[in-house]
Amino acid sequence: MIDLKNLTIRKAHEAMIRGDFSALDLVSAYIDQIEKRNGTVNAFLEVYADAKEQAQKADESFKQGTATLLTGIPIALKDNILFAGHKASASSKMLENFVAPYDATAVRKLKEMGTVFIGRTNMDEFAMGGSTENSAYGVTRNPWDESRVPGGSSGGSAAAIAMDGALVALGSDTGGSVRQPASLCGCVGLKPTYGSISRHGLMAMGSSFDQIGPITKTVDDTEILFEALKGADSLDSTSSYEDKREVLPKTMRIGISKNILDSDGLHPEVKNNFKKSLEKLTEMGYEIVDIELPNMSQALAVYYIIVPAEVSSNLARFDGVKYGLHVEGKDLLDDYVLTRREGFGKEVRRRIMLGTYVLSSGYYDAYYGKANALRSLIRKDFENALETVDVILTPTTPTPAFPIGEKSKDPLQMYLEDIFTVPASITGNPAISIPSGFTNDEKKLPLGIQFLARPYREDILFKVSKDFLGEI
Ligand code: GLN
């Protein structure tokens, strides 16, 4: 029996080098576990038919001595990341039978290192949502408490890790979709600096926000994946990477915005846990500094204007002509209307309507233009704050995992879940969510905290997070 609960990339790699188990044994152990739990959790939409074959190839590399650290490591892919020859549906009826014609750059890089793609994971349709209740293929349940949501939109990837259905996973984060489900499922989740992981082959939601990010059990595993995936890519003109690493100061300064603890809607368990985390960091020798983020209160509004605008433009390609669902109408216009009505779920249609509204002449200046101006101000706030501190700390989410159905009827309640995660997406800064304990009640639900750093300073996030978790 392989101890999947405590397995990390390095442990698995060493075990495969020693021959304790093969890549085929490893992927088979995960597939067994998926068979046990996926029936209720619904983290995976599909286990790839060639997963074992990929593992056999990885075993060949071990025999030939060409294995890398990622060879044979089973990874789960969010359903909006293209893996050539395999389905990718963005959990939408629109792309139910869509087969990826090419690899995302992230997938290509992992393939070259011998990673084993085990399956694709459920998500909110086109990554719009915070609970994985907006999938056309059923809700995903939180493995810690199956009556609750795993968070979203990468809820399938986070649940896959929490139920030991894969060693590591990839999600995508536009406003928190890696960090928020990681937090609600007790995992580590990184949204890297905007542009540092190529978006080529990631289905677009809000192109000036979208980033692929790892979801794992340990910070070290996240760091390994980030190192493997980062870098400018000629296929994504917005990608870039600058090595800004430098020796870290002995005493690091952590900024917190005082008003965070007074925010309305902050669950008492989250508040308590956040205070305890601060105490722990102080005891460890970190200096806690109050910072001002004057425009932070506008972040959610800015996000929910600019993202729908980008969504409405990005999703215009799903017209029933080029690819995906086609519903035949009486004329071309009717084809468009029927295809998009049938193919898209409620939340996606809501965002497209909101987006076209804020971009329409007469409203553009009042909404889109203003939101963009505020985006610059928020960016400036964070730049200023990060001149005096090394990282900024917040809770990842205002509440622990909530019951399925509790917020799905009220979009505004759902959007409030993103209050702490959208700022890093608006500004492009890197941010990581790490487990910070559990609720104190009998429910024992996982909680998380989030660190945010200057662009390209993921190294600081990894250092502070490893310290906090006692990872060496
Ligand atoms: N919950 C946010 C939204 O619905 C974030 C989604 C995401 O990061 N993909 O837009």
Side-chain angles (χ1 to χ4, degrees):
M1 275 286 270
I2 305 174
D3 176 14
L4 299 180
K5 256 268 111 20
N6 297 303
L7 201 61
T8 62
I9 294 176
R10 286 184 207 281
K11 283 188 198 165
H13 178 70
E14 281 154 24
M16 288 189 281
I17 292 270
R18 279 195 306 267
D20 296 353
F21 52 76
S22 66
L24 182 60
D25 295 335
L26 185 59
V27 81
S28 306
Y30 282 111
I31 292 173
D32 285 350
Q33 181 66 12
I34 295 171
E35 273 163 15
K36 271 190 211 131
R37 291 213 63 186
N38 204 52
T40 53
V41 174
N42 195 30
F44 286 87
L45 296 175
E46 175 186 6
V47 170
Y48 295 130
D50 60 353
K52 289 189 179 172
E53 206 179 299
Q54 296 174 51
Q56 278 160 340
K57 273 202 196 128
D59 282 326
E60 279 306 308
S61 310
F62 277 103
K63 273 193 206 117
Q64 283 159 14
T66 54
T68 74
L69 187 53
L70 285 170
T71 302
I73 301 297
I75 189 167
L77 283 184
K78 187 175 179 176
D79 192 25
N80 59 353
I81 301 175
L82 303 193
F83 175 24
H86 298 76
K87 270 192 193 172
S89 78
S91 294
S92 178
K93 268 164 78 182
M94 189 61 95
L95 292 175
E96 190 166 6
N97 298 310
F98 180 73
V99 175
Y102 59 85
D103 283 329
T105 297
V107 168
R108 175 183 58 78
K109 288 188 172 184
L110 293 174
K111 232 185 213 179
E112 284 165 9
M113 296 185 77
T115 312
V116 172
F117 301 93
I118 185 168
R120 67 188 166 101
T121 57
N122 200 17
M123 56 185 275
D124 285 305
E125 184 179 9
F126 282 103
M128 297 173 211
S131 64
T132 316
E133 291 167 291
N134 296 339
S135 163
Y137 307 106
V139 306
T140 294
R141 293 172 179 276
N142 191 318
W144 292 86
D145 175 346
E146 292 186 3
S147 69
R148 288 170 191 267
V149 303
S153 63
S154 315
S157 289
I161 300 308
M163 72 177 206
D164 291 321
L167 180 44
V168 292
L170 290 185
S172 69
D173 191 309
T174 302
S177 282
V178 161
R179 291 161 284 159
Q180 189 251 21
S183 173
L184 301 193
C185 289
C187 303
V188 174
L190 172 74
K191 184 206 76 84
T193 307
Y194 179 76
S196 59
I197 295 183
S198 170
R199 290 185 297 114
H200 175 69
L202 167 67
M203 291 185 199
M205 175 182 164
S207 307
S208 73
F209 297 74
D210 299 342
Q211 272 297 283
I212 290 176
I215 299 180
T216 65
K217 294 197 293 277
T218 65
V219 181
D220 193 44
D221 284 354
T222 282
E223 184 172 1
I224 293 170
L225 285 172
F226 175 69
E227 289 300 320
L229 296 176
K230 72 179 191 200
D233 176 14
S234 59
L235 298 172
D236 170 7
S237 61
T238 60
S239 67
S240 62
Y241 185 76
E242 294 169 46
D243 196 343
K244 296 219 168 165
R245 283 175 291 191
E246 40 185 67
V247 180
L248 301 175
K250 258 216 146 49
T251 316
M252 292 228 266
R253 293 158 69 92
I254 298 180
I256 64 154
S257 165
K258 275 192 304 264
N259 29 12
I260 277 187
L261 283 172
D262 311 322
S263 332
D264 290 346
L266 193 61
H267 193 285
E269 291 276 5
V270 172
K271 196 185 272 191
N272 243 332
N273 179 270
F274 186 69
K275 282 190 189 153
K276 279 212 193 104
S277 305
L278 274 178
E279 282 164 21
K280 179 169 170 185
L281 287 159
T282 313
E283 274 164 29
M284 292 170 71
Y286 284 92
E287 191 182 334
I288 311 291
V289 180
D290 282 334
I291 52 162
E292 302 280 344
L293 297 166
N295 297 291
M296 166 99 168
S297 57
Q298 307 296 322
L300 207 57
V302 166
Y303 176 87
Y304 277 100
I305 290 173
I306 303 180
V307 167
E310 295 189 11
V311 160
S312 71
S313 161
N314 274 327
L315 271 61
R317 70 192 71 175
F318 300 106
D319 55 8
V321 177
K322 298 191 264 304
Y323 41 70
L325 184 75
H326 170 78
V327 181
E328 190 74 27
K330 59 181 185 314
D331 54 25
L332 182 62
L333 187 62
D334 209 33
D335 284 3
Y336 293 158
V337 172
L338 296 181
T339 301
R340 289 166 69 82
R341 182 184 300 159
E342 170 93 19
F344 290 140
K346 215 172 170 175
E347 182 62 24
V348 171
R349 280 180 281 150
R350 180 171 15 244
R351 303 244 184 150
I352 292 173
M353 283 194 284
L354 259 172
T356 43
Y357 178 79
V358 301
L359 288 176
S360 58
S361 78
Y363 294 103
Y364 184 98
D365 291 335
Y367 293 104
Y368 186 73
K370 279 224 173 78
N372 252 332
L374 263 164
R375 187 175 193 180
S376 304
L377 292 179
I378 294 170
R379 206 175 269 140
K380 197 82 213 130
D381 281 357
F382 279 83
E383 255 172 50
N384 291 342
L386 286 163
E387 268 169 24
T388 54
V389 296
D390 300 292
V391 279
I392 294 173
L393 177 66
T394 68
T396 308
T397 60
T399 69
F402 44 91
I404 289 170
E406 189 180 86
K407 295 180 200 273
S408 49
K409 300 267 161 344
D410 183 350
L412 291 181
Q413 280 301 315
M414 191 69 87
Y415 299 169
L416 278 170
E417 281 297 306
D418 307 331
I419 192 145
F420 298 125
T421 49
V422 296
S425 304
I426 290 172
T427 62
N429 291 66
I432 194 168
S433 175
I434 59 168
S436 57
F438 295 87
T439 57
N440 269 323
D441 52 16
E442 70 293 344
K443 299 191 197 93
K444 290 262 169 292
L445 299 168
L447 295 169
I449 51 172
Q450 171 184 242
F451 291 109
L452 182 154
R454 285 186 287 277
Y456 306 112
R457 293 313 303 269
E458 280 80 3
D459 61 319
I460 301 187
L461 299 181
F462 299 145
K463 164 78 173 73
V464 183
S465 302
K466 283 181 179 176
D467 263 6
F468 183 86
L469 293 172
E471 267 185 46
I472 15 98

